[in-house]
Amino acid sequence: MTIILLPFPKKVSSVSVEEAILLRRSVREFSPDPITVEQLSMLLWAAYGVTDPKHGFRSSPSAGATYPLEIYVVVGEKSVLTNSTYLEPAIYKYNDRAHAIELIKHGDYREALSKAALNQPWVREAPIDIVITAVFERTTRFYGERGRTRYVPMDVGHAGQNIYLMATTLGLGTVAIGAFDDRRVAEILTLKSGETPMYIIPIGKPRTQRKTEFADIARYIESVRKGVA
Ligand SMILES: Cc1cc2nc3c(=O)[nH]c(=O)nc-3n(C[C@H](O)[C@H](O)[C@H](O)COP(=O)(O)O)c2cc1C
């Protein structure tokens, strides 16, 4: 099995949580620039990396710590810069405990993934797509129907938001994609039965950077208050 060890997660920015929340927006236009393997490391760690080695708890909360999610990354041609070269275009699976990615299959599958996602162009134009899948049984074993209809989708939302905020912090952009053909995405990722694709998350450098400040929000709130007071 080919396994690529990622750089350790570390403090990489001085962007605060409140600034990341303010600046987060869904981005659908990406520059052709690659991302770096350090950025990939931070994105995967934010999604589902270990933050409590003693108990194995992760960056995202999970109902009953059942952790039903799996994280894949679809890497395009010349899309992830390592020291002196690029990661091989392929589909990889995140090993959260070893903080590594394991090769699933060779090739650039962004085009196929875009087709499976109603041809949404940002899926093929971004250098990478993270795909979050869920093994529902890990949670429904304990929580039954409530696990299926509520807890697993909630877990996915938490991991997705962590990716959004980490991308924003790194100066990258992303958009959470829920509209796709489950069966086709499962085929591309070669998922076993019992594992369901939940989100496709293209990530890259935004073509334009947003500039919103807290003063803009204060002005907005003030104008609304004038209308209601
Ligand atoms: C569950 C879910 C599914 C979504 N699916 C798509 C999608 O298939 N394609 C897309 O372009 N955006 C998708 N979005 C992004 C929303 O369109 C976006 O969050 C919304 O327009 C608000 O914009 P903002 O994220 O910049 O605040 C999805 C968002 C969520 C939460």
Side-chain angles (χ1 to χ4, degrees):
M1 188 214 298
T2 305
I3 181 157
I4 297 165
L5 305 178
L6 295 168
F8 295 131
K10 61 179 186 190
K11 180 169 163 55
V12 288
S13 91
S14 53
V15 180
S16 66
V17 173
E18 63 270 25
E19 286 168 318
I21 291 171
L22 176 69
L23 292 172
R24 184 210 64 82
R25 193 84 291 134
S26 289
V27 169
R28 299 180 182 82
E29 291 196 345
F30 300 102
S31 85
D33 300 352
I35 67 163
T36 66
V37 75
E38 285 79 14
Q39 290 172 327
L40 178 64
S41 158
M42 293 309 293
L43 291 162
L44 293 173
W45 177 77
Y48 229 38
V50 173
T51 51
D52 180 340
K54 192 169 168 200
H55 303 97
F57 292 154
R58 317 276 173 85
S59 51
S60 297
S62 173
T66 51
Y67 299 113
L69 309 183
E70 296 290 339
I71 315 287
Y72 295 80
V73 54
V74 175
V75 172
E77 192 84 49
K78 294 194 172 164
S79 288
V80 179
L81 208 47
T82 63
N83 291 335
S84 53
T85 175
Y86 293 96
L87 272 192
E88 191 180 331
I91 300 178
Y92 301 90
K93 186 175 186 179
Y94 182 48
N95 178 329
D96 41 72
R97 293 190 327 135
H99 194 56
I101 49 175
E102 296 166 4
L103 180 71
I104 301 293
K105 63 181 187 185
H106 295 283
D108 184 346
Y109 284 92
R110 292 175 301 170
E111 179 72 40
L113 203 58
S114 167
K115 284 197 177 123
L118 317 178
N119 263 317
Q120 297 187 63
W122 29 94
V123 175
R124 62 171 169 272
E125 287 164 3
I128 66 158
D129 293 284
I130 288 179
V131 182
I132 302 182
T133 70
V135 180
F136 277 74
E137 206 271 329
R138 287 184 204 152
T139 305
T140 56
R141 190 188 312 162
F142 298 99
Y143 300 111
E145 184 62 8
R146 198 170 179 83
R148 193 182 68 77
T149 57
R150 294 190 181 215
Y151 295 169
V152 171
M154 287 168 174
D155 277 27
V156 177
H158 290 301
Q161 182 74 353
N162 272 9
I163 294 173
Y164 258 112
L165 294 179
M166 182 55 76
T168 306
T169 296
L170 297 169
L172 299 174
T174 187
V175 53
I177 306 276
F180 52 80
D181 181 324
D182 294 359
R183 196 181 47 80
R184 285 174 75 179
V185 174
E187 273 167 19
I188 293 165
L189 265 57
T190 60
L191 301 183
K192 294 205 184 82
S193 71
E195 188 173 352
T196 309
M198 303 296 286
Y199 254 159
I200 298 174
I201 307 184
I203 304 172
K205 199 160 163 231
R207 210 169 281 164
T208 51
Q209 288 284 355
R210 276 185 76 230
K211 285 192 203 71
T212 304
E213 293 177 5
F214 277 111
D216 301 326
I217 310 305
R219 269 194 297 277
Y220 165 77
I221 293 171
E222 253 168 13
S223 73
V224 173
R225 285 180 182 173
K226 274 188 197 130
V228 290

